[in-house]
Amino acid sequence: MQQDSSALLLADRLRAEVRSLRAGDRLPSSRALMDRHRVSPITVSRALGVLAAEGLVVTRPGSGTFVADRPAPAREPADLGWQAVALGDRAIDAHGVRWLLTPPPEGTIALSGGYLHPTLQPTRALAAATARAARRPDAWDLPPLSGIAELRAWFARTAGGDVTPADVLVTSGGQQSLTTVLRALLRPGSPVLVESPTYLGVLSIARASGLHPVPVPADEDGLRPDLLAEAFAMTGARVVYCQPTSLNPTGAVLSPERREQVLAVARAAGAFVIEDDFARHLAIDPTPPPLISQDGDGRVIHILSLTKSVAPSLRVAAVIARGPVAERIRATQLVEDFFPARPLQETVLELVSSPGWPRHLRAVRTALKSRRDAVCSAFARELPELRVNRPTGGMHQWVRLPDGADDVALAEAALRAGVLVSAGRPFFPAEPTGPFLRISYSSAASEAELAEGVRRLATVLTG
């Protein structure tokens, strides 16, 4: 104890001496310190150890002890308060989108997500397509501003009807497509009709662009045309956004009859229909053709992304439109984004033109069917009292919770129990019609993991 006290006392004396020296100066030798302060070698060694731990000195064997480099004095934090005045009262809330894109903690089963699990992605075919694309002599040249001709032709064939390559604009992914289209069509302050519930990302884009998303209820069969007509009449809106095939988050598919009704309602209102066809390649059962294939007067603006059916970083999509609105959308993309990177366009063209593309789609659809059925069976076994739908495509199921349940609190508790699910409330543009959970069956590693995720969720609900 006495030696420790002596060492600390010597360290205090040396600390003041060190601070008066310059970085790199050599301290007196241990023998000199022993003689000067009349202490033992152990006391000197321990005192220097204290100073070394504090970063004040460094010991170099065979050379001695030296004053360490001093860090630059910490600057006072900058006063950034002026920015609040300059930025004004507009805010961009990315919390919901960031949460959906953040990987779950290690050991957590993901029953929430918007992409295929890596085991379902065509990584080998994608790598081969990327290698072939990179070898093209013009791979890094400026592409045609509307997109590579062959890729536009492929998107046109996929859309069907009388769509031509001239109607297609290649874009940098579905989210960028939605941003471009909404900004091209609507000025800040305008209303835009959306399904309720709807894709969380479109709500974020609309609000960040200064638009007002107005809810139009959707049921198990998708958007309700009768209430769509009322919403157009009440708001004077000129745009409705919808997902006719595998609505995210509910999985609903708009029937052929309702598709005709939606087009008729939009025609009567003199409005555009933005058709987000993100799940076209994720159909488990046959689905109706896109709205764009039934559109004879340029009313539908069709968005088709390949990201969901391939891989998260394949940020390539297409916007299909006709007439003056197509020119405005092209102009908006040109001034905001120039064009999608040519190597990515070439990669997509190589991928969808290869024999492996139809094989990949068949494999994904088979896997999604098995996964959907596994989740349905797990809920029937673990939580038979809950209503769980059985979608015919896409990635998500919609679970109705008991009245009075707090879906947000439940999702937080589920995460603590090791399973990630999405609360339903953020998917509603206004007040929710009840408590729901969105369950995704595409993000987990296996059917067994899906079943275990539902079991963990059941322990939270029944605990």
Side-chain angles (χ1 to χ4, degrees):
M1 178 68 72
Q2 180 63 37
Q3 287 181 339
D4 289 344
S5 300
S6 299
L8 293 175
L9 182 61
L10 177 59
D12 288 339
R13 294 173 181 170
L14 294 177
R15 190 179 291 111
E17 182 178 344
V18 165
R19 286 172 175 164
S20 69
L21 299 175
R22 295 174 302 178
D25 285 351
R26 188 176 184 277
L27 270 65
S29 67
S30 296
R31 170 63 64 183
L33 292 174
M34 289 165 52
D35 293 343
R36 181 190 303 175
H37 297 284
R38 298 182 181 278
V39 293
S40 69
I42 294 177
T43 299
V44 171
S45 176
R46 289 180 176 175
L48 293 177
V50 170
L51 298 183
E54 294 175 358
L56 296 177
V57 301
V58 291
T59 300
R60 300 170 188 164
S63 298
T65 302
F66 299 83
V67 178
D69 291 335
R70 295 184 176 89
R75 294 192 307 171
E76 288 293 322
D79 181 6
L80 305 179
W82 66 271
Q83 293 188 5
V85 177
L87 289 171
D89 61 357
R90 185 172 70 93
I92 297 178
D93 183 6
H95 172 74
V97 174
R98 182 181 293 110
W99 182 82
L100 288 176
L101 295 177
T102 301
E106 188 173 351
T108 302
I109 294 177
L111 296 188
S112 176
Y115 303 107
L116 296 174
H117 188 270
T119 57
L120 300 180
Q121 297 171 18
T123 50
R124 290 186 178 178
L126 195 53
T130 304
R132 293 194 300 271
R135 288 195 295 268
R136 294 190 176 194
D138 56 355
W140 294 96
D141 287 352
L142 180 76
L145 296 184
S146 291
I148 296 172
E150 298 93 329
L151 186 57
R152 295 167 67 195
W154 181 85
F155 275 116
R157 291 193 300 272
T158 303
D162 59 356
V163 173
T164 70
D167 303 325
V168 178
L169 172 67
V170 179
T171 62
S172 301
Q175 194 77 354
Q176 181 62 44
S177 299
L178 287 171
T179 303
T180 299
V181 169
L182 287 175
R183 289 183 178 175
L185 267 61
L186 298 168
R187 63 185 61 184
S190 301
V192 55
L193 306 186
V194 298
E195 300 141 320
S196 182
T198 192
Y199 169 48
L200 181 58
V202 78
L203 298 178
S204 299
I205 294 170
R207 290 164 179 156
S209 302
L211 306 177
H212 299 296
V214 178
V216 180
D219 57 20
E220 61 274 9
D221 296 317
L223 186 68
R224 289 184 52 180
D226 56 334
L227 298 180
L228 176 62
E230 289 187 24
F232 274 128
M234 291 178 61
T235 64
R238 288 295 178 263
V239 174
V240 57
Y241 164 86
C242 64
Q243 305 161 85
T245 302
S246 301
L247 166 62
N248 177 6
T250 70
V253 175
L254 206 61
S255 67
E257 294 76 20
R258 280 202 183 184
R259 289 171 187 249
E260 293 178 1
Q261 293 168 3
V262 166
L263 288 176
V265 169
R267 190 174 299 111
F272 289 103
V273 178
I274 301 174
E275 178 186 24
D276 187 351
D277 205 23
F278 76 98
R280 172 62 46 185
H281 297 299
L282 303 176
I284 296 173
D285 299 332
T287 57
L291 285 177
I292 187 73
S293 66
Q294 305 169 248
D295 175 35
D297 56 358
R299 193 159 305 280
V300 176
I301 299 168
H302 181 85
I303 299 175
L304 176 61
S305 171
L306 289 172
T307 307
K308 302 294 187 184
S309 56
V310 182
S313 286
L314 195 76
R315 311 301 302 172
V316 174
V319 174
I320 300 175
R322 288 171 283 192
V325 70
E327 293 306 314
R328 181 174 292 187
I329 292 170
R330 286 187 174 90
T332 302
Q333 169 164 291
L334 188 60
V335 300
E336 289 188 345
D337 195 39
F338 281 11
F339 48 82
R342 182 161 192 154
L344 267 182
Q345 294 190 51
E346 299 281 7
T347 296
V348 170
L349 181 60
E350 289 283 354
L351 179 67
V352 300
S353 302
S354 70
W357 176 245
R359 289 199 299 270
H360 165 65
L361 294 184
R362 287 193 297 271
V364 166
R365 289 164 177 164
T366 299
L368 291 179
K369 181 179 185 299
S370 297
R371 287 161 169 261
R372 177 205 62 186
D373 293 347
V375 171
C376 288
S377 298
F379 269 99
R381 181 174 61 254
E382 304 286 351
L383 294 164
E385 68 278 9
L386 297 186
R387 268 200 339 261
V388 183
N389 68 344
R390 191 182 185 87
T392 59
M395 301 176 166
H396 312 295
Q397 292 175 279
W398 198 230
V399 179
R400 179 63 158 89
L401 298 172
D403 290 339
D406 186 334
D407 55 321
V408 174
L410 177 59
E412 293 172 352
L415 184 58
R416 292 192 295 270
V419 57
L420 179 68
V421 296
S422 296
R425 192 177 309 174
F427 295 92
F428 289 89
E431 292 78 11
T433 56
F436 295 89
L437 294 178
R438 191 194 71 170
I439 302 296
S440 305
Y441 48 83
S442 64
S443 303
S446 64
E447 294 170 27
E449 191 169 273
L450 289 168
E452 172 61 17
V454 175
R455 188 196 65 77
R456 294 183 187 183
L457 180 62
T459 63
V460 176
L461 277 164
T462 59

